[in-house]
Amino acid sequence: MTFKATVFGATASLLAFGTALAADLPSYKAPPPPPPPPAVYDWSGYHFGVSGGYAGGSASYLSSIYGINPVTYNSLGSSYGTSGFIVGVQSGVNWQFANNVVVGYESDYNYMGVNSNDSGNWGGMALNSNLRWFGAERLRLGYAFGRFLPYITGGLAYGQLHTNGVYNAGGILFPTSSSNWQAGWTVGAGVEYGLFNNISVKAEYLYTNLQGNYGSGVGYNAATLNPVAFRTYIGNGYDTHIARVGVNYSFKSLGALIGMPQLGL
């Protein structure tokens, strides 16, 4: 056997041995890439939704009665409880900053059935009131813990109050009925939780104070129905505690709402 043949044979044997040895070794697979980090919940954007709950508080009155013949004046005051329900809609916008502070604005408009718990009958005078509509324009300030957002809120409040009253003085009736819009302020706090990327639920408490004139009317003699007096109700305050829950739908822009995010807005 020549030298070249010997070298060639040895090389071939080594290659065959290496191949067999490699076949016996366990195969190696690269580990899968780590999963992406969970998306951070972002409260920035617009929202709208519905809410409902309980409302109740107190109504305060200062009623002035002016007689015509003879000329008389009488002033009566009272305060009594109210209770009822509230249901409405809300819309607004939030801005979340890098430090997780959330600043927002929210507007709500509600139908209410908040009535006097009694007639407020004192000194021959009976009053009944009904807060029918309520709205608020509020700022919100909160801190986001991921999907959990506690916040405080406050701003302008307004409402429509319907009042009926009758004063009976020796057979002379002084009736009046009016519906007036009143303005005031509101403060409160709440918590909101993001169930899904676009849907959140909230629980909220608001205290509201409305002020304004409740109405006026002409009095009539019970027998002759001739006008005999003029009276005016002046509200010292219509205070209401509101506890409600709601659900919001959020979207990043008006374009995204209609399926055209490239429009922005």
Side-chain angles (χ1 to χ4, degrees):
M1 181 180 294
T2 64
F3 177 76
K4 290 183 178 180
T6 302
V7 172
F8 178 78
T11 303
S13 298
L14 290 174
L15 290 175
F17 177 76
T19 302
L21 182 62
D24 292 336
L25 294 176
S27 61
Y28 174 78
K29 294 182 180 180
V40 177
Y41 196 85
D42 185 8
W43 288 94
S44 297
Y46 300 90
H47 66 270
F48 63 86
V50 295
S51 60
Y54 168 83
S58 63
S60 300
Y61 300 95
L62 175 61
S63 300
S64 300
I65 304 168
Y66 299 88
I68 296 177
N69 187 18
V71 177
T72 60
Y73 171 81
N74 191 12
S75 181
L76 300 172
S78 180
S79 178
Y80 53 93
T82 63
S83 63
F85 67 90
I86 179 172
V87 59
V89 296
Q90 68 268 352
S91 63
V93 60
N94 292 321
W95 296 271
Q96 181 170 341
F97 299 95
N99 59 359
N100 293 329
V101 171
V102 178
V103 176
Y105 171 82
E106 190 168 78
S107 174
D108 62 89
Y109 191 71
N110 311 268
Y111 175 75
M112 303 184 74
V114 178
N115 299 287
S116 305
N117 293 336
D118 54 55
S119 64
N121 192 0
W122 76 99
M125 180 166 60
L127 290 176
N128 287 283
S129 64
N130 179 11
L131 185 59
R132 292 178 172 176
W133 299 98
F134 171 79
E137 307 296 325
R138 298 175 287 108
L139 296 177
R140 300 203 310 173
L141 176 63
Y143 186 88
F145 298 90
R147 293 177 178 267
F148 183 70
L149 176 65
Y151 61 88
I152 57 175
T153 183
L156 171 69
Y158 57 92
Q160 185 192 53
L161 185 69
H162 183 78
T163 303
N164 292 304
V166 176
Y167 180 74
N168 189 335
I172 299 177
L173 301 181
F174 300 85
T176 186
S177 177
S178 66
S179 292
N180 296 316
W181 286 94
Q182 300 186 359
W185 51 271
T186 181
V187 294
V191 292
E192 192 164 356
Y193 181 79
L195 287 178
F196 308 102
N197 288 338
N198 296 101
I199 298 178
S200 61
V201 292
K202 71 172 186 175
E204 187 175 67
Y205 165 80
L206 293 177
Y207 170 78
T208 70
N209 178 273
L210 300 178
Q211 300 276 347
N213 181 36
Y214 286 164
S216 60
V218 176
Y220 296 89
N221 184 284
T224 65
L225 297 183
N226 294 324
V228 294
F230 186 86
R231 75 174 302 183
T232 300
Y233 301 139
I234 300 175
N236 288 338
Y238 203 97
D239 302 329
T240 307
H241 302 272
I242 298 173
R244 61 186 177 184
V245 295
V247 58
N248 282 325
Y249 178 82
S250 61
F251 49 97
K252 297 305 178 186
S253 66
L254 298 181
L257 179 63
I258 60 176
M260 302 178 66
Q262 65 274 15
L263 294 180
L265 303 177

